[in-house]
Structure formats: structure tokens, C-alpha cells
């Protein structure tokens, strides 16, 4: 058994199960997409996702009652909804989305003892070009990171690709949160930094499964926490964006596990 202090390499059975959990998580995002419009509350989005996960998918929303050692209160909702200057772990509330908001919806589902974890950005109504560009560049950051995933590369190659693209566009990379190994445990010990140096850190090997989930700020990288103990916001109040996929390392590259019919496709070229 693992003690959560080692890198867990998945076997063929684990991989089959992770394909199922990953697909379910992505399908929740497909399901919720038409509801992300001006006038909806984040609580309504949470309820819709919760009921879909529990009743349709017959799965469990991993965030619900999730305990993080450093936080006092267990996470009280089923998804994370992080709006505008919120970086991650925003808690659904009566807050109403308004025209021009950007929101990250982060879904993790637990099915047959395995977790799948994915998030996307949504533009609510008509957003500014600045906001749309931040969302697009962050999506490119995710995919530039994914493209570094192959046996023989290093975790630092992923972080470097992400940091490079973010900073080339005048943005900053949040340091307080990282991608993570995932499987039977939601957050396994393996950490995937979204910044770093080429050929640094742990070597990537087949059978690893981890998330890549860069959080990119329009302004400075510094983070502040709201009094709820969970919601991370930008200290300078600038906008922040995040995208996340769960990735399997294959014998010659990667397989994205959090796939669904309506997922935004890999960008043609992020090198602009
Ligand atoms: N889904 C988040 C991640 O990508 C974690 C959310 S934990 C919660 O790792 F408790 F805040 F929901
Ligand atoms: Co994650
Ligand atoms: Co997530």
C-alpha cells in the first residue's frame, strides 16, 4: 500500500478506472456550460452539478466535506467557483454572476474509488478583450505544459513551459498551489509546479497520473485568502484564470483523461 509519501505508478486497471472518472468530471463541465449565464448564482451552479454527479453519474463530488489539514472548516460545497479576482477554491454562494464576469468551475468526481479532476474558464455574457485574452493565454499555458509530458522529460519542463508563456504575455504564475498526483487519493504527494527550470525536478515515467492546473494572474502573483479560509484571491485584485486536466503518462507521451464531447480542443499553436 502507498503511504502517500511516494510516487504512485498506476497499473492497467487503475488507468481504466481513471479514464472513467476523468470522463465523468469533464462531462459535468459540459453539462453545466449552458447554465453559466448572467443572473445565475454560484449556489445554483453547485446544486445543478451536485445533483448531476450524485443522481445521473452515481458518483460523489470529491470537494464536498474535503478536509485540508491547514483549513479549519471542511470544504462545504460540491464544486469550486472562482470569479474574476478569485484564483481558486471559491465557495459557491448566493453571489449572482453578472455580464462581463469570468469564472473558473472546478469539478472533481469520485467514482469506483478513483478521482477525476478538471476545470475550465467561462465568460459570462460579454467580457472585455483583456479578460478573454487572460483566459486564452492560460488555456495555452495548460496545453504547453501538457505537451511536455513524456517519459524522459522532467516535471520542471512542464513548469518552465507554463511560466515562460505566461510571463511572455505579461502575466504572473501563482506559486501557492500546484498540480498533483491523483488516483484513489484526491491529492497525492506528487507536486506539479507551474513554474520552474528545464530538466529540473523529478523525471517523468509511464504510469504517472497527475493534474496540470496553472493559475495565471493578470497582475502580480501574490495571493491573499478570504476569511472563509478557502478562497484564494489576487492581492492586487487583478483578474486570475485557471484551466485543469488530469493527464496519464504513456510509453511515448501523454493521454488526457478528462475528455468529453464539448471540451475545448487543444490550441493549434500557443507560440505567438
Ligand atoms: N479541484 C481542486 C484541485 O484542482 C481542489 C479542490 S479542493 C476543495 O485540486 F476542497 F477546495 F474543493
Ligand atoms: Co486538481
Ligand atoms: Co480541480
Amino acid at each position: 500500500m502507498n503511504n502517500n509519501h511516494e510516487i504512485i505508478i498506476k497499473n492497467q486497471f487503475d488507468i481504466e478506472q481513471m479514464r472513467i472518472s476523468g470522463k465523468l468530471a469533464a462531462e459535468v463541465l459540459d453539462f453545466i456550460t449552458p447554465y453559466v449565464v448572467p443572473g445565475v448564482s454560484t449556489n445554483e451552479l453547485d446544486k445543478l452539478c451536485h445533483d448531476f454527479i450524485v443522481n445521473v453519474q452515481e458518483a460523489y463530488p470529491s470537494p464536498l466535506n474535503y478536509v485540508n489539514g491547514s483549513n479549519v472548516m471542511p470544504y462545504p460545497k460540491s464544486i469550486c467557483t472562482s470569479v474574476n479576482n478569485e484564483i481558486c477554491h471559491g465557495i459557491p454562494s448566493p453571489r449572482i454572476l453578472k455580464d462581463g464576469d469570468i469564472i473558473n468551475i472546478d469539478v472533481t468526481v469520485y467514482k469506483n474509488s478513483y478521482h477525476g479532476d478538471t476545470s475550465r474558464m467561462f465568460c459570462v455574457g460579454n467580457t472585455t478583450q483583456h479578460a478573454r485574452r487572460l483566459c486564452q493565454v492560460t488555456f495555452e499555458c495548460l496545453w504547453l505544459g501538457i505537451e511536455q509530458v513524456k517519459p524522459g522529460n522532467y516535471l520542471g519542463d512542464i513548469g518552465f513551459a507554463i511560466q515562460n508563456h505566461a510571463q511572455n504575455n505579461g502575466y504572473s504564475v501563482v506559486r501557492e498551489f500546484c498540480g498533483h498526483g491523483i488516483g484513489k487519493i484526491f491529492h497525492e504527494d506528487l507536486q506539479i509546479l507551474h513554474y520552474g527550470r528545464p530538466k529540473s525536478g523529478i523525471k517523468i515515467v509511464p504510469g504517472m497520473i497527475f493534474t496540470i492546473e496553472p493559475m495565471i494572474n493578470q497582475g502580480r502573483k501574490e495571493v491573499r485568502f478570504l476569511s472563509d479560509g478557502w478562497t484564494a484571491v489576487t492581492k492586487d485584485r487583478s483578474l486570475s484564470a485557471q484551466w485543469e486536466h488530469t493527464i496519464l503518462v504513456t510509453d511515448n507521451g501523454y493521454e488526457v483523461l478528462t475528455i468529453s464531447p464539448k471540451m475545448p480542443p487543444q490550441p493549434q499553436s500557443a507560440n505567438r
Side-chain angles (χ1 to χ4, degrees):
M1 286 301 286
N2 79 80
N3 58 13
N4 202 17
H5 290 283
E6 61 188 72
I7 298 163
I8 301 166
I9 300 302
K10 273 70 178 181
N11 63 32
Q12 204 51 46
F13 180 79
D14 297 327
I15 291 167
E16 287 300 332
Q17 299 302 315
M18 287 298 287
R19 286 195 182 104
I20 294 169
S21 298
K23 187 161 178 292
L24 289 175
E27 285 173 351
V28 176
L29 291 173
D30 285 4
F31 159 77
I32 202 64
T33 299
Y35 297 98
V36 187
V37 292
V40 75
S41 72
T42 51
N43 264 345
E44 290 173 287
L45 298 175
D46 177 70
K47 171 99 170 79
L48 286 162
C49 290
H50 176 93
D51 290 348
F52 186 76
I53 293 166
V54 171
N55 300 327
V56 178
Q57 297 185 331
E58 298 183 18
Y60 182 83
S62 310
L64 186 58
N65 298 317
Y66 180 74
V67 176
N68 174 340
S70 64
N71 276 283
V72 189
M73 141 178 105
Y75 191 79
K77 298 284 179 174
S78 296
I79 60 172
C80 297
T81 51
S82 304
V83 182
N84 296 338
N85 60 312
E86 296 174 351
I87 296 168
C88 65
H89 304 165
I91 302 175
S93 74
R95 178 181 185 156
I96 305 278
L97 296 183
K98 57 181 202 311
D99 191 64
D101 284 344
I102 58 170
I103 180 174
N104 173 276
I105 301 181
D106 193 338
V107 169
T108 313
V109 302
Y110 185 64
K111 177 84 175 182
N112 300 332
S113 304
Y114 291 83
H115 298 271
D117 190 5
T118 183
S119 81
R120 297 177 195 159
M121 294 302 297
F122 298 86
C123 290
V124 182
N126 297 300
T127 49
T128 66
Q129 201 184 326
H130 285 300
R132 288 199 304 274
R133 182 171 159 268
L134 174 67
C135 295
Q136 176 61 28
V137 169
T138 304
F139 186 60
E140 291 164 1
C141 284
L142 167 63
W143 275 99
L144 287 168
I146 291 171
E147 287 165 7
Q148 291 299 318
V149 176
K150 59 177 167 216
N153 269 10
Y154 293 80
L155 293 183
D157 295 317
I158 300 172
F160 177 73
I162 292 168
Q163 180 179 17
N164 200 39
H165 191 58
Q167 292 179 355
N168 282 343
N169 282 277
Y171 300 142
S172 63
V173 178
V174 171
R175 312 298 163 109
E176 278 78 359
F177 304 95
C178 55
H180 49 92
I182 181 168
K184 288 181 176 167
I185 298 169
F186 188 172
H187 293 110
E188 292 176 358
D189 252 16
L190 184 61
Q191 297 198 343
I192 315 299
L193 303 184
H194 303 116
Y195 57 93
R197 304 306 308 168
K199 300 202 185 308
S200 70
I202 291 168
K203 204 178 222 179
I204 296 171
V205 298
M208 283 178 165
I209 296 183
F210 51 77
T211 72
I212 303 178
E213 48 182 298
M215 284 143 276
I216 306 298
N217 295 350
Q218 199 174 36
R220 297 181 58 83
K221 66 181 185 303
E222 282 75 18
V223 167
R224 192 169 67 79
F225 288 89
L226 298 189
S227 58
D228 62 30
W230 281 103
T231 312
V233 300
T234 56
K235 206 171 174 186
D236 65 6
R237 297 183 164 77
S238 67
L239 294 177
S240 187
Q242 179 180 28
W243 292 80
E244 174 177 26
H245 271 311
T246 298
I247 308 293
L248 163 70
V249 183
T250 62
D251 288 338
N252 46 22
Y254 64 84
E255 177 182 331
V256 178
L257 299 177
T258 35
I259 55 174
S260 65
K262 286 198 273 175
M263 73 187 240
Q266 177 175 9
Q268 287 295 332
S269 169
N271 303 304
R272 285 179 300 138

